[in-house]
Amino acid sequence: MFDFQIAATSGAARTGTLTLPHGPVETPVFMPVGTQGTVRALSPADLKAVGASMVLANTYHLHVRPGEEVVAQLGGLHQFMAWDRPLLTDSGGFQVFSLAGFRRVNDDGVEFQSHVDGGRRTLTPERATEIQWTLGADIAMAFDHVAPGAADEATSRDALERTLRWLERCARRHRDLADRPPGRPSVQTLWPILQGGTHPNLRTEGLRRILDMGSWTGLAVGGLSVGEPKAKMYEVLELLEPRLPRPLPRYLMGVGFPEDLVAAVQRGVDLFDCVAPTRNGRNGSAFTPEGPLNIRNAAFRTDKGPVDPTCDCETCTTYSRGYLRHLFVAEELLGLRLLSLHNVRYLIRLAEQMRAAIRKGEGALAAWADDWRRRYTQPGIA
Amino acid sequence: MFDFQIAATSGAARTGTLTLPHGPVETPVFMPVGTQGTVRALSPADLKAVGASMVLANTYHLHVRPGEEVVAQLGGLHQFMAWDRPLLTDSGGFQVFSLAGFRRVNDDGVEFQSHVDGGRRTLTPERATEIQWTLGADIAMAFDHVAPGAADEATSRDALERTLRWLERCARRHRDLADRPPGRPSVQTLWPILQGGTHPNLRTEGLRRILDMGSWTGLAVGGLSVGEPKAKMYEVLELLEPRLPRPLPRYLMGVGFPEDLVAAVQRGVDLFDCVAPTRNGRNGSAFTPEGPLNIRNAAFRTDKGPVDPTCDCETCTTYSRGYLRHLFVAEELLGLRLLSLHNVRYLIRLAEQMRAAIRKGEGALAAWADDWRRRYTQPGIA
């Protein structure tokens, strides 16, 4: 369990299989985000139809509403949301630092104000670990302190040090939970999150100290795609890649947009999550091989063609751009769902295409990615 | 084409097959309403999964947005909304009299203000017929003047007379369109709408004059379920039943709620449409054999059971009440879809159950309906 086998590489990129209690996951993989225990506008059947193998849910959101005990009484997160494939929960760290109206951080944990009912709550490394254990995802994340993308070194150092201290407490609590009763095969693993902002020395030091702390089944890079320039994100990934243990799956949190997925896979990343495909879909923006397209554009009024002629999703094989435009202009719910479905399929296909290119061996992914970028960076059709 | 074969009767109730250009429809049948060319929150695949055989769309809405010419350029209404089974369009009469902020009625037609852009538009019997021909549904409805449910006899008489004059013009225009080019098999039929409010003499006179006007392939009863007491609606249906030609399919417009469907089938009605299942579903109200249930009820917080244990829909076979409650409390889009799906399935199953009871012969439907009402009128479980 929690095994990761690399099948092929191409440059720094890898393709392989991550084995989890709820099934295997082929990597590189894009995980759709089910913030509140549902990927917005999509059903589990939709997600399977577009090839999703793993979904992320948010500990902060599920803790605040309906509460992890309710989820547990309804059979745990898998049964609650009727998703029988692998699940990952983030720790709540990111939400506490980005969503909550009020927060007070000290070494024990974070006191914050719920964005739902305004009530004061506290998350500590131990609580975040217990909540995730109660939810029951295949992968739990350590509770981290996320600094803004433009944070100076002192601020980033402070967040990194706290995150490392919290990681020890998360790991200890998770070990206690997972060993009870002793001898039972573990149903959940815990992954550490590397912080350190855009500061190379903090990133390399943080990574070394995480790896010294124990043997992990995977490792996440956090604190990127939080406002820093894209070039900075790529630099951090390039810095880390040769230092990351090759056998460990690498998860780049909160990424991404198509161009980020391609760039990060080329820099050795295996797992991704992002709300972009569903959020953009609900806003009428569709990914296509030529770039994003705004379906509300008047040019699509009588366009009989599909959103993306190369796509095999239900939206693209069934509906015209003209009809989808009508759904958005008329504010019909079906439109939100159909573009979300297409965008999720787009990113999952992108990962599939990269897996195929990596399997072709040295140089193949780079050639594929150059072609892809040439087409994608052309002026969008909308 | 446009053939109706009655297979069995039980009292005044009938079950049979209506054959239309896009396929057969077993009656009694409930038609989900696709107001703007989409059944709100549901896809054509969802509708097929719950057994929908025929869908209604609104001429007024599609004329105002995106316009019938856009629909025609996108392949006609069936291709536009990706629904390859039978479609019926209402004439716009009901919407002009219920939705438009401003209207001026004269014998030529109705001038009204679009609820979308405020622009002045005019619908005449000829225009309503042409628009429906352009949309291309299997069944078009005659343009009618709908009076409120509590209208006095003079008002109802005025609306009835105008509707009858307009019917002649609709029928003439439809004949011209359907005969061009001559000899081509007709792809659309036109059904008249009987008005007359709750006034027995107007209803019987109106019916006689419609039947004298020509030979129809079906007939709609309009102007019911528009604010009059339910008992009045049932009285009108009982008055009309023995006077309606038995071989003609009978369509009760805008009905209904489960109890109305059962009562009207017992009074000889074959076709129904109503926004209740989708509108109520979006409001968190689910039909069950015991009566409607409000999914937001706190009692369902940790309820592992399905919305309706007797139901075979995706919602009831996949999700707990507790999860559905969470989706509504958290304002997640999936909740709107899942309860809409269940409610549509509920009414389609209700029609299926009545078809089965009718096939059992004399007395069987009455016995089934008594049982059904005993259970349904019990205090709801919510």
Side-chain angles (χ1 to χ4, degrees), chain A residues 36-38 40-46 62 65-66 70 73-75 79-82 282 301-304 314 318-320 322-323 326-327 329-330 332-334 336-337, chain B residues 36-38 40-46 62 65-66 70 73-75 79-82 282 301-304 314 318-320 322-323 326-327 329-330 332-334 336-337:
Chain A
Q36 304 192 99
T38 165
R40 216 150 273 166
L42 299 180
S43 73
D46 293 336
L62 291 168
R65 186 174 58 192
V70 169
Q73 284 181 63
L74 291 169
Q79 194 177 327
F80 177 67
M81 60 189 285
R282 294 197 307 281
R301 197 159 153 271
T302 57
D303 190 331
K304 295 174 98 155
E314 183 193 334
T318 313
Y319 304 95
S320 65
Y323 181 64
H326 167 67
L327 293 180
V329 170
E332 281 286 354
L333 291 167
L334 185 60
L336 311 180
R337 165 177 164 192
Chain B
Q36 304 192 100
T38 165
R40 213 150 276 165
L42 300 180
S43 73
D46 293 335
L62 292 168
R65 185 173 60 194
V70 169
Q73 285 180 64
L74 292 169
Q79 195 177 325
F80 177 68
M81 59 189 284
R282 294 196 308 279
R301 196 158 154 273
T302 56
D303 190 331
K304 295 175 98 154
E314 182 193 336
T318 312
Y319 305 95
S320 65
Y323 181 65
H326 166 68
L327 293 180
V329 170
E332 281 286 354
L333 291 167
L334 185 60
L336 312 181
R337 164 177 164 193

Side-chain angles (χ1 to χ4, degrees), chain A residues 181-195:
Chain A
R184 187 180 59 174
S186 183
V187 292
Q188 184 180 76
T189 192
L190 177 79
W191 284 5
I193 302 176
L194 172 63
Q195 292 292 343

Side-chain angles (χ1 to χ4, degrees), chain A residues 95-177:
Chain A
Q95 277 71 33
V96 164
F97 287 96
S98 66
L99 259 189
F102 154 92
R103 64 177 168 270
R104 182 161 26 208
V105 189
N106 60 33
D107 254 21
D108 186 47
V110 187
E111 188 189 4
F112 64 96
Q113 193 166 19
S114 154
H115 76 292
V116 169
D117 60 14
R120 293 280 165 97
R121 289 157 185 262
T122 300
L123 270 183
T124 62
E126 289 80 8
R127 281 293 293 136
T129 306
E130 288 159 5
I131 293 168
Q132 290 181 84
W133 182 261
T134 304
L135 292 172
D138 301 70
I139 300 175
M141 300 304 301
F143 191 59
D144 59 336
H145 184 163
V146 184
D152 61 23
E153 185 164 342
T155 308
S156 291
R157 160 70 72 182
D158 179 63
L160 171 66
E161 293 292 343
R162 188 167 294 106
T163 298
L164 290 169
R165 285 193 297 275
W166 286 355
L167 176 58
E168 293 214 36
R169 290 163 57 189
C170 288
R172 193 176 316 123
R173 192 78 194 95
H174 195 265
R175 220 158 28 234
D176 291 348
L177 291 164

Side-chain angles (χ1 to χ4, degrees), chain B residues 97-251:
Chain B
F97 287 96
S98 65
L99 259 189
F102 155 91
R103 65 177 167 270
R104 182 161 26 209
V105 189
N106 60 32
D107 254 21
D108 186 46
V110 186
E111 190 191 1
F112 64 96
Q113 193 165 20
S114 156
H115 76 293
V116 169
D117 60 13
R120 292 282 166 97
R121 289 158 185 259
T122 300
L123 270 183
T124 63
E126 289 80 8
R127 280 294 292 135
T129 307
E130 288 159 6
I131 293 168
Q132 291 182 84
W133 182 261
T134 303
L135 292 172
D138 300 71
I139 299 175
M141 300 305 299
F143 190 59
D144 59 336
H145 183 163
V146 184
D152 61 23
E153 185 164 344
T155 308
S156 291
R157 162 68 74 181
D158 179 63
L160 171 65
E161 293 291 341
R162 187 167 295 105
T163 299
L164 290 169
R165 286 193 298 273
W166 285 356
L167 176 58
E168 293 213 37
R169 289 164 57 189
C170 289
R172 193 176 315 123
R173 191 78 195 94
H174 195 264
R175 219 155 32 231
D176 291 348
L177 291 163
D179 285 353
R180 211 166 45 185
R184 186 180 60 173
S186 183
V187 292
Q188 184 181 76
T189 191
L190 176 79
W191 284 6
I193 302 175
L194 172 62
Q195 292 291 344
T198 54
H199 308 284
N201 56 320
L202 297 185
R203 288 286 181 178
T204 52
E205 180 191 330
L207 176 58
R208 189 178 42 71
R209 288 167 61 185
I210 286 174
L211 296 175
D212 285 348
M213 226 178 262
S215 87
W216 308 101
T217 62
L219 188 144
V221 179
L224 290 178
S225 203
V226 289
E228 81 286 355
K230 265 188 207 294
K232 282 280 174 198
M233 174 166 90
Y234 299 161
E235 277 172 31
V236 171
L237 293 177
E238 283 164 20
L239 172 80
L240 292 174
E241 199 285 320
R243 293 168 171 82
L244 286 161
R246 291 174 58 85
L248 278 194
R250 304 151 177 183
Y251 164 29

